[in-house]
Amino acid sequence: MAGAAQPPPRRGKGFRTRHFPGLATVSAVFFAYLYLPIAILVALSFNENRTATIWTEFTTDWYLRALSNSDMLQAAGNSLIIAASAMLLSTTIATLAALGMSRRRFRGATGVTALLSLPLIVPEIVTAVATLLFFVALGLQLGLTTVIIAHTVFCIPFAYLPIRARLQDMDPALREAAADLYANEWRSFVRVILPLLFPGILSGAMLAFIISLDDFVITFFTAGAGSTTLPVYIFSLIRMGVTPEVNAISALMLLISITFVTISFVLASGKNRI
């Protein structure tokens, strides 16, 4: 009809293309630059030729050799000890901090939040050098203990963010409902808050674990004799040349990282089902 209102023009593919020409191409180049080297590394880890860049035949021998390397297994054991310890400590501290910050607003709350997020902003090399100087000033001998302390402090923000996000999505009326049912503060926390918060805690713990497991810079500066971790061990191998064994170890670490990050993402996305 002549007097009928006309629908607004659709802003679909043509709109995006007109205003952002070449966006799809730029995005494809970006992701190829980011992920293609990783795919090549994984592919070359199955190369039979010891020269990593020349493909000859498919084999899994390099994985078997890597898993039977006693030095690598010791480094992997150190990495697991450090990552598990840092995960437990940082997640506990992050949970307590998130609960305290969510209780009520107070003067300086913004500053505390910024302080908790500071390790995410400060360059990791600065954190590593400062931590090393701090340990030297205290007279601490570098080893597994110093690495665990450094990793714990560094991982707190990574554990804090999912937990804090989970708390922010909770209905404040849950505590009031528990109080109406004659539950004290402790029982309300154990029976109501903690079960709903647990996916966020687990997500933060997974993220802290994988951040600690993959860390190189802070570990390199704060580790002592006998506390070599897997990333530091891989770095020492690379200085003598890249071999399929290095590619195999890197591929295994990549698989572990993807697994834990996926678990953390799935658990964090569960907040929409509260």
Side-chain angles (χ1 to χ4, degrees):
M1 297 178 60
Q6 297 296 324
R10 296 181 61 185
R11 296 184 176 184
K13 183 177 179 181
F15 174 82
R16 292 193 298 269
T17 304
R18 184 169 60 253
H19 288 269
F20 302 99
L23 179 61
T25 303
V26 172
S27 300
V29 171
F30 168 77
F31 284 109
Y33 175 79
L34 194 62
Y35 293 110
L36 188 58
I38 298 177
I40 294 174
L41 180 145
V42 174
L44 291 177
S45 68
F46 296 99
N47 181 20
E48 185 185 31
N49 195 332
R50 186 169 184 82
T51 303
T53 56
I54 301 177
W55 178 270
T56 54
E57 189 177 348
F58 179 88
T59 184
T60 58
D61 291 344
W62 296 110
Y63 286 90
L64 298 176
R65 182 174 299 185
L67 294 175
S68 61
N69 187 327
S70 59
D71 292 335
M72 192 213 75
L73 293 178
Q74 183 178 358
N78 290 337
S79 292
L80 291 176
I81 292 172
I82 294 169
S85 302
M87 175 191 70
L88 292 174
L89 293 172
S90 63
T91 304
T92 301
I93 296 172
T95 302
L96 296 176
L99 290 171
M101 294 290 291
S102 67
R103 294 289 293 178
R104 60 181 64 88
R105 295 291 298 178
F106 58 91
R107 181 176 297 180
T110 303
V112 173
T113 302
L115 189 63
L116 287 169
S117 304
L118 195 60
L120 300 175
I121 304 171
V122 176
E124 194 173 349
I125 184 67
V126 176
T127 302
V129 173
T131 304
L132 174 61
L133 294 177
F134 178 71
F135 289 152
V136 172
L138 293 179
L140 295 178
Q141 184 177 0
L142 299 182
L144 285 178
T145 302
T146 54
V147 179
I148 290 172
I149 295 173
H151 280 210
T152 297
V153 176
F154 183 70
C155 290
I156 287 175
F158 295 96
Y160 173 80
L161 293 177
I163 298 172
R164 178 62 174 161
R166 187 82 178 184
L167 277 172
Q168 287 179 336
D169 286 338
M170 284 187 184
D171 190 349
L174 291 173
R175 288 191 177 96
E176 300 175 5
D180 290 340
L181 296 173
Y182 306 102
N184 57 26
E185 285 288 333
W186 174 251
R187 183 167 293 182
S188 173
F189 172 75
V190 173
R191 297 287 185 88
V192 179
I193 303 302
L194 186 58
L196 293 175
L197 185 60
F198 185 73
I201 295 175
L202 196 56
S203 174
M206 295 293 101
L207 199 56
F209 180 85
I210 202 61
I211 291 296
S212 175
L213 188 69
D214 291 344
D215 182 81
F216 168 77
V217 177
I218 293 178
T219 308
F220 186 79
F221 278 83
T222 59
S227 57
T228 301
T229 62
L230 197 54
V232 176
Y233 177 76
I234 292 175
F235 176 74
S236 66
L237 291 180
I238 290 178
R239 289 189 298 178
M240 296 181 293
V242 179
T243 65
E245 185 178 2
V246 174
N247 293 339
I249 298 173
S250 302
L252 290 174
M253 288 197 67
L254 176 65
L255 177 61
I256 295 172
S257 300
I258 292 176
T259 301
F260 276 86
V261 170
T262 302
I263 293 173
S264 177
F265 175 79
V266 171
L267 291 172
S269 64
K271 63 184 180 181
N272 298 324
R273 296 191 290 272
I274 293 180

